Every structure is written in structure tokens, then in C-alpha cells.
Amino acid sequence: MKKSPIDTVFAQGESNPYGKFFTGQTYLTMLSAADPVFNAPIGNVTFEPGARTHWHKHAGGQILLVLNGEGRYRERGKEIQILKKGDVVRIPADVEHWHGAAPDSWFVHVSVETNPSKGPATWLEAVTDEEYK
Amino acid sequence: MKKSPIDTVFAQGESNPYGKFFTGQTYLTMLSAADPVFNAPIGNVTFEPGARTHWHKHAGGQILLVLNGEGRYRERGKEIQILKKGDVVRIPADVEHWHGAAPDSWFVHVSVETNPSKGPATWLEAVTDEEYK
């Protein structure tokens, strides 16, 4: 494990157990586990430069809170967005998208999974280098 | 408005519009507004030293993600807890509690209101200086 050179605010955590749905190296710390009481799974994800999720969608939506570094966000069919510390992304249910680090920057965001009772994320194909750049 | 001497990660925001339910000066930036689509109102709250909420409870619970500074958390009838950057507090529904800054430190936390469809917060009496110290 490489230690992040930028402040992750929360613990960097271990190598992401969902790594097979990501390209490159990412780390996950669960801040509030999935449960039927709070209904709001919250995790902190740290991406090494160039790392990103596969294309995916959430049955109940997701909110990203950017803590540090520079990242990327793209919804299928739309322009890529640059993300910086302090940015918030509200991803509606069933919208295909990916997120990750910039090619030359570590990136840290909190993920809040909304309406988890509507079902899990659906993971799709990897983001190609061409799509990423 | 005083500018926070510690990093608030997200914008410090304006003087808290719910200030009548707080003791001392606090600032609020909504990161994701209340709505029936995401069902997860998220705000960032910055407390000046000594500032704290009144006693209150949430019909659907609340999760606090501590971003910076040193704070305090107390549930009715329990010991006071010291909060530091990286800490998470999961506050069950209907549990009377308060949170705020340490006497000598600014304090910044993200608040995630869980299960908002269960109803709003109920605000109770102010936390006295004796209870606070």
C-alpha cells in the first residue's frame, strides 16, 4: 500500500475490496456501514493518480463529497467534469457514470449511497484509456 | 463573520439560519439540500470555539463526519465524548443529544440527516455552561 501524499481527512483504509470494479489502485474506509437502521452507507475512497471506477449506476443514487485532490466525473453521453476539493456531485438513480482521479493527482471523496433499499449498484465495463483521456 | 482559522474543506458558508437552536456562532453550508429524490440532506457546519447545538433529537437519526478541529458530543445520561478529525458519530433516531466545538477550538463536521421522511428534528433546551464544561 502506498500512503497518500495528500490529506485523506479520514483514514486511508485498506486496498478497496471492490477493486475488481475499478481500474488502478484505490483504498476504502467505510465510515458508516450499510444497515437497515441508518439507510445511508458512507465510505471514503482514495484514488491513486489515474485510478477510476468502471462505468456503473446506482439504483437509488449517490452523492460524492470531494475532500482533496483533483478528480474526474463523467455521465454517459456528457462532457467530463473536473472535480476539486469542496465540490459535491449528486448522481441520480440509474444514471451510468464513472469517477476517479485526474491522471496526475491523488483524489479523495466521501461517497454517500442514497436510497439503498432500492437496490445495489450495477457494475458495467471498464473505462478505457481513450474514454478517460 | 469570522473566517475559520482551520480548514473547513467545504465552504464555511453563511451564519447558520438555524442559529436560534445553537449557543454561540456557527456557520452552515448545505452540500445537498433536502429533497424527496436523494432523501439525504447533507450540510457542513463550522462552530466557533464554545459554540454548540441545543439539546435535540432526530426522528430518523443523523451521522456526523468530523472534518477538522476538536469537538464535543453528548447523549442524555451518558459521558461527554471528545471528537477529532476523522471521527464518525452515528446518532440513533430519537436519542437526545448535543454536539459542538471544544471550548478552545474551532470545529467542523458534515451532518448527514438519515431517514428524513420519518420527520424533522425536535429542538429542546439550550446546553447550559455547567453541562457543557
Side-chain angles (χ1 to χ4, degrees), chain B residues 54-56 73-79 94-98 124-127 131:
Chain B
H54 289 186
W55 286 99
H56 65 291
Y73 171 72
R74 190 171 209 172
E75 294 184 2
R76 185 89 73 183
K78 296 195 179 174
E79 289 298 302
D94 300 323
V95 168
E96 295 185 5
H97 67 282
W98 62 265
L124 306 165
E125 76 279 12
V127 175
E131 288 174 309

Side-chain angles (χ1 to χ4, degrees), chain B residues 2-132:
Chain B
K2 281 190 205 163
K3 178 155 170 41
S4 170
I6 62 173
D7 185 358
T8 58
V9 183
F10 301 94
Q12 181 174 335
E14 302 298 319
S15 190
N16 188 347
Y18 302 97
K20 68 179 175 180
F21 302 124
F22 288 66
T23 297
Q25 185 61 51
T26 57
Y27 306 90
L28 174 67
T29 300
M30 284 309 292
L31 302 180
S32 186
D35 69 52
V37 175
F38 286 98
N39 287 307
I42 303 175
N44 198 29
V45 188
T46 299
F47 299 76
E48 291 192 6
R52 67 266 189 183
T53 69
H54 289 186
W55 286 99
H56 65 291
K57 58 185 178 177
H58 301 273
Q62 182 187 35
I63 298 171
L64 305 179
L65 310 175
V66 179
L67 297 184
N68 213 345
E70 184 182 312
R72 299 285 185 269
Y73 171 72
R74 190 171 209 172
E75 294 184 2
R76 185 89 73 183
K78 296 195 179 174
E79 289 298 302
I80 206 164
Q81 290 180 40
I82 292 175
L83 299 181
K84 296 199 170 171
K85 178 177 171 176
D87 286 343
V88 175
V89 185
R90 290 166 31 118
I91 307 167
D94 300 323
V95 168
E96 295 185 5
H97 67 282
W98 62 265
H99 34 108
D104 55 356
S105 174
W106 286 65
F107 179 59
V108 186
H109 72 53
V110 167
S111 158
V112 179
E113 191 184 334
T114 54
N115 306 298
S117 63
K118 293 197 177 169
T122 301
W123 292 94
L124 306 165
E125 76 279 12
V127 175
T128 64
D129 286 348
E130 198 162 73
E131 288 174 309
Y132 176 68

Side-chain angles (χ1 to χ4, degrees), chain A:
Chain A
M1 168 179 157
K2 282 190 205 162
K3 177 155 170 43
S4 170
I6 62 173
D7 185 358
T8 58
V9 183
F10 301 94
Q12 181 175 335
E14 301 299 320
S15 189
N16 187 346
Y18 302 98
K20 67 177 175 181
F21 302 126
F22 288 65
T23 297
Q25 185 61 52
T26 57
Y27 306 89
L28 174 68
T29 300
M30 285 307 294
L31 302 179
S32 186
D35 71 52
V37 175
F38 286 98
N39 287 307
I42 303 175
N44 198 29
V45 188
T46 300
F47 299 76
E48 291 193 7
R52 66 268 189 181
T53 69
H54 290 187
W55 286 98
H56 65 290
K57 58 184 178 177
H58 302 272
Q62 182 186 36
I63 298 171
L64 305 179
L65 311 175
V66 179
L67 297 184
N68 213 346
E70 184 183 311
R72 299 285 186 267
Y73 172 73
R74 190 172 207 172
E75 294 183 3
R76 184 90 72 184
K78 297 196 178 174
E79 290 297 303
I80 205 163
Q81 290 179 40
I82 292 175
L83 300 181
K84 295 199 169 171
K85 178 177 171 176
D87 286 343
V88 176
V89 185
R90 289 164 33 117
I91 306 167
D94 299 323
V95 168
E96 294 184 6
H97 67 282
W98 62 265
H99 35 108
D104 55 356
S105 174
W106 285 66
F107 179 60
V108 186
H109 71 53
V110 167
S111 158
V112 180
E113 190 184 335
T114 54
N115 304 299
S117 63
K118 293 198 177 168
T122 302
W123 291 94
L124 307 165
E125 77 278 13
V127 177
T128 65
D129 286 348
E130 199 162 73
E131 289 174 310
Y132 176 67
K133 278 167 184 170

